[in-house]
């Protein structure tokens, strides 16, 4: 019983943090799930928890956004046209993770520690190929971090709109994963219960997290999101510290 209570409490806290920081809730659950059920249980348990929490999040956030839009209208803001291009020329998975990590860290300076609203103009159609590229890179690296938050911020998709949209995009992927885990026998009855416990805790967090996010200013939200992106980048580079030490042995 204690394991289920810990998972529920962790799901509650993780999804509040992910709501305020624009994502990353599942990453916060990984250590506890691995400790309780083993590394092989992480993926199916996270998939179950994300489906439960994500379904409730979409209803709460999109419904709240539609109500707020009816009351206040939807103001439009001009975008600064300063496109920047980047290329990934090295196909090594280790170096890809380092490059992505450096990019995530650089967002602190790109956005002036959150004070700058946009760094380049974004068209709606960019999201489909960007999601495709991110999915491809995540297959090579294993974790890509919240790199797409850059597109959301530059498209003026923030706060409730960002959290709700990202959740809606991720749910079909987790549903497909869940079907695969079930077909392969990786999702046992006990792991399903673990996922339900974490998911119910995360589901309950949607209400207080929505209130915090609604009362948060756009500036504070950007500061937190950009800070979380930079932190994710630092973690990705730390994971590849052995690769860097092989190139720069004198730094030890």
């Amino acid at each position: 019983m204690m394991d289920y209570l810990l998972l529920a409490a962790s799901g509650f806290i993780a999804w509040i943090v992910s709501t305020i920081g624009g994502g990353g809730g599942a990453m916060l659950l990984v250590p506890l799930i691995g400790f309780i059920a083993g590394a092989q249980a992480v993926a199916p348990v996270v998939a179950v928890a994300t489906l439960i929490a994500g379904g409730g999040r979409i209803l709460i956030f999109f419904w709240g956004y539609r109500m707020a839009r009816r009351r206040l209208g939807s103001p439009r803001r001009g975008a600064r046209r300063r496109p920047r291009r980047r290329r990934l020329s090295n196909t090594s998975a280790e170096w890809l993770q380092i490059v992505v990590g450096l990019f995530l860290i650089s967002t602190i300076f790109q956005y002036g520690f959150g004070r700058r609203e946009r760094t380049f103009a974004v068209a709606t159609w960019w999201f489909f190929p960007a999601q495709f590229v991110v999915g491809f890179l995540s297959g090579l690296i294993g974790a890509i971090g919240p790199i797409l938050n850059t597109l959301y911020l530059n498209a003026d998709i923030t706060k409730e709109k960002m959290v709700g949209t990202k959740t809606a995009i991720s749910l079909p992927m987790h549903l497909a994963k869940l079907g695969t885990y079930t077909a392969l026998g990786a999702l046992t009855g006990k792991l399903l219960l673990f996922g339900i416990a974490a998911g119910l805790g995360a589901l309950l967090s949607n209400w207080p997290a929505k209130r915090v996010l609604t009362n948060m200013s756009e500036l504070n939200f950007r500061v937190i999101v950009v800070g979380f992106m930079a932190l994710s980048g630092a973690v990705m580079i730390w994971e590849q510290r052995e690769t860097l030490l092989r190139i720069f042995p004198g730094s030890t």
Side-chain angles (χ1 to χ4, degrees):
M1 180 59 68
M2 184 59 65
D3 290 342
Y4 297 109
L5 292 176
L6 285 174
L7 285 169
S10 298
F12 185 88
I13 295 172
W15 254 257
I16 287 182
V17 173
S18 74
T19 299
I20 298 172
M27 294 178 60
L28 299 178
L29 281 176
V30 169
L32 180 61
I33 296 173
F35 176 76
I36 292 176
Q40 75 283 352
V42 170
V45 171
V46 166
V48 174
T50 302
L51 282 174
I52 295 173
R57 175 181 278 179
I58 289 175
L59 292 176
I60 293 172
F61 278 75
F62 276 138
W63 180 82
Y65 168 65
R66 289 176 65 87
M67 294 300 102
R69 188 174 181 181
R70 289 176 183 175
R71 291 195 304 267
L72 303 176
S74 180
R76 299 182 58 124
R77 303 176 182 175
R80 300 176 184 176
R81 297 181 174 274
R82 292 195 297 178
R84 301 184 181 184
R85 297 179 181 177
R86 292 175 177 81
R87 294 181 181 178
L88 299 178
S89 57
N90 197 322
T91 58
S92 168
E94 292 81 7
W95 279 104
L96 277 174
Q97 186 163 347
I98 293 172
V99 171
V100 172
L102 289 173
F103 170 76
L104 289 172
I105 292 175
S106 75
T107 56
I108 277 191
F109 308 101
Q110 293 182 51
Y111 288 93
F113 294 88
R115 293 188 297 272
R116 185 179 303 160
E117 293 185 5
R118 299 173 185 81
T119 58
F120 55 85
V122 171
T124 304
W125 65 268
W126 289 17
F127 284 88
F128 179 80
Q131 189 70 49
F132 177 82
V133 171
V134 167
F136 173 75
L137 291 179
S138 66
L140 295 176
I141 297 175
I144 199 67
I147 192 170
L148 281 182
N149 282 357
T150 301
L151 284 186
Y152 287 104
L153 290 175
N154 283 298
D156 195 26
I157 301 175
T158 62
K159 296 182 64 176
E160 294 92 341
K161 292 183 290 182
M162 176 191 286
V163 175
T165 302
K166 292 182 67 175
T167 304
I169 291 174
S170 68
L171 283 185
M173 177 184 66
H174 287 290
L175 185 61
K177 287 183 178 180
L178 196 59
T180 303
Y181 299 144
T182 303
L184 295 176
L187 183 62
T188 63
K190 188 172 184 179
L191 295 186
L192 178 61
L193 292 177
F194 282 157
I196 292 174
L200 289 177
L203 179 65
L204 293 176
S205 76
N206 286 323
W207 283 272
K210 169 101 174 27
R211 293 193 63 179
V212 172
L213 197 60
T214 299
N215 295 326
M216 184 182 296
S217 68
E218 293 281 351
L219 174 59
N220 288 339
F221 179 76
R222 285 197 307 273
V223 169
I224 294 175
V225 169
V226 171
F228 187 78
M229 291 172 68
L231 178 61
S232 299
V235 171
M236 294 177 72
I237 293 177
W238 174 256
E239 290 176 348
Q240 296 301 326
R241 59 190 180 279
E242 293 184 0
T243 300
L244 292 173
L245 289 176
R246 287 197 300 267
I247 303 301
F248 306 104
S251 61
T252 56

